[in-house]
Amino acid sequence: SLCVLVCTDISKVQDDEVGDGTMLVVVLAGKHLREAEKFTEKNIHPITIIEGIVASVSKLLNLDLFI
């Protein structure tokens, strides 16, 4: 399935870049994919879903959470 391919790819990238945290990456990606699926079931275009995720991540990265 597409989810398995995506999770395998991001797990490999995480391991190559950091060397750890692959399980966390797979769990988070799986959760995001399950949530995104709910939107596709409501006939929301995948590009719109991706744009929403990108906007959310962008806002999250601009927060001063790590003080």
Side-chain angles (χ1 to χ4, degrees):
S1 79
L2 181 57
C3 182
V4 172
L5 293 174
V6 169
C7 289
T8 301
D9 189 45
I10 61 172
S11 179
K12 181 179 178 342
V13 170
Q14 176 71 11
D15 191 47
D16 291 347
E17 294 292 323
V18 181
D20 195 12
T22 55
M23 180 62 75
L24 176 63
V25 168
V26 170
V27 169
L28 289 174
K31 179 68 175 167
H32 278 87
L33 290 170
R34 278 193 300 279
E35 292 299 316
E37 184 176 35
K38 293 176 186 177
F39 291 108
T40 60
E41 290 170 353
K42 294 179 180 180
N43 294 322
I44 298 174
H45 196 278
I47 296 297
T48 304
I49 298 168
I50 292 168
E51 288 172 346
I53 292 170
V54 169
S56 297
V57 170
S58 178
K59 287 184 180 188
L60 180 64
L61 292 175
N62 287 322
L63 295 175
D64 288 328
L65 298 175
F66 306 103
I67 299 175

